[in-house]
């Protein structure tokens, strides 16, 4: 089921998500399915559970860049960034909760991530470049952080008015379905 996506300014987006343990473990399949449907309908490449109002440590990613032969699809449950290294790279980011906008965010180029997939198999893997960036963006959501918190003063100033429009829900959002 496609679910409504929470928008910038919604205080739920600043909540810290909880680990998925115990009985919740068997109930996440419907949530995962809803998240993929919602993300794909909104043309996003990543979505965290908190963005549809569920404060659990879970995000899904589906990103393809044909030119770079980059393909990534995965379910990330209870993820932990074990380490980050390499150059800090500046790159524009967008977010389904901040529709129509993009801002320059600086992040380390490499990470090592530990997580569980939808079959509850544990993985540990290194990511770099675009993959590392999407993961760090989604990982931030689980800590209650929206990428706008990483913007420098100039960017924030440039985006202030459109952000206010989103906050008061006057921005036209193509995927603001009910
Ligand atoms: Zn986002």
């Amino acid at each position: 089921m496609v679910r409504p996506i929470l928008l910038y300014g919604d205080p739920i987006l600043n909540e810290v998500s909880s680990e998925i343990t115990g009985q919740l473990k068997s109930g996440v399949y419907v949530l995962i399915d809803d998240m993929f449907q919602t993300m794909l309908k909104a043309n996003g490449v990543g979505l965290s559970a908190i963005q549809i109002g569920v404060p659990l440590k879970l995000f899904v990613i589906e990103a393809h860049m044909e030119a770079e032969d980059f393909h990534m699809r995965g379910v990330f449950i209870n993820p932990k960034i074990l380490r980050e290294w390499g150059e800090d790279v500046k790159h524009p980011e967008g977010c389904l909760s901040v529709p129509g906008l993009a801002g320059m965010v600086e992040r380390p180029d490499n990470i090592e991530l530990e997580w569980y997939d939808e079959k509850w198999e544990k993985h540990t893997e290194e990511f770099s470049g675009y993959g590392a960036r999407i993961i760090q963006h989604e990982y931030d959501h689980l800590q209650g952080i929206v990428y706008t918190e990483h913007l420098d003063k100039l960017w924030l100033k440039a985006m202030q008015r459109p952000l206010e429009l989103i906050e008061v829900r006057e921005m036209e959002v193509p995927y603001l379905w009910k």
Side-chain angles (χ1 to χ4, degrees):
M1 191 174 78
V2 171
R3 308 250 210 128
I5 296 173
L6 302 185
L7 296 182
Y8 178 85
D10 193 315
I12 293 174
L13 287 175
N14 299 121
E15 280 182 24
V16 177
S17 294
S18 309
E19 291 224 330
I20 299 174
T21 54
Q23 287 188 331
L24 283 174
K25 278 181 154 186
S26 53
V28 289
Y29 302 103
V30 174
L31 179 60
I32 290 167
D33 192 50
D34 285 0
M35 286 170 67
F36 270 110
Q37 284 190 42
T38 304
M39 175 180 71
L40 296 175
K41 182 153 189 211
N43 287 319
V45 296
L47 186 74
S48 295
I50 190 76
Q51 290 179 277
I52 55 168
V54 181
L56 292 175
K57 288 200 188 299
L58 160 66
F59 57 78
V60 297
I61 290 175
E62 176 151 10
H64 303 281
M65 278 199 302
E66 295 300 336
E68 314 261 327
D69 200 24
F70 174 90
H71 301 281
M72 184 173 181
R73 187 183 196 275
V75 174
F76 299 81
I77 299 172
N78 297 342
K80 263 189 205 116
I81 291 181
L82 302 177
R83 58 195 183 102
E84 305 178 332
W85 71 98
E87 215 184 320
D88 281 341
V89 180
K90 275 191 180 177
H91 202 272
E93 281 181 29
C95 178
L96 292 178
S97 294
V98 192
L101 299 176
M104 198 67 86
V105 179
E106 193 172 305
R107 298 189 188 273
D109 203 29
N110 308 278
I111 58 161
E112 184 179 23
L113 189 79
E114 176 191 287
W115 78 98
Y116 292 86
D117 65 20
E118 65 273 38
K119 294 174 189 144
W120 288 95
E121 279 168 21
K122 194 178 182 177
H123 300 262
T124 307
E125 208 178 301
E126 291 177 4
F127 295 89
S128 62
Y130 188 40
R133 177 166 296 273
I134 304 173
I135 288 171
Q136 289 175 84
H137 176 111
E138 298 309 327
Y139 193 81
D140 271 354
H141 276 302
L142 308 189
Q143 329 301 320
I145 297 168
V146 177
Y147 82 86
T148 47
E149 288 187 39
H150 292 301
L151 297 173
D152 65 29
K153 274 188 192 153
L154 269 177
W155 269 97
L156 206 51
K157 203 169 172 213
M159 284 172 67
Q160 196 178 350
R161 185 64 190 139
L163 285 174
E164 281 169 11
L165 289 177
I166 296 175
E167 266 192 290
V168 296
R169 305 289 179 264
E170 277 180 15
M171 181 73 109
E172 236 182 81
V173 183
Y175 51 84
L176 225 159
W177 44 76
K178 295 278 177 264

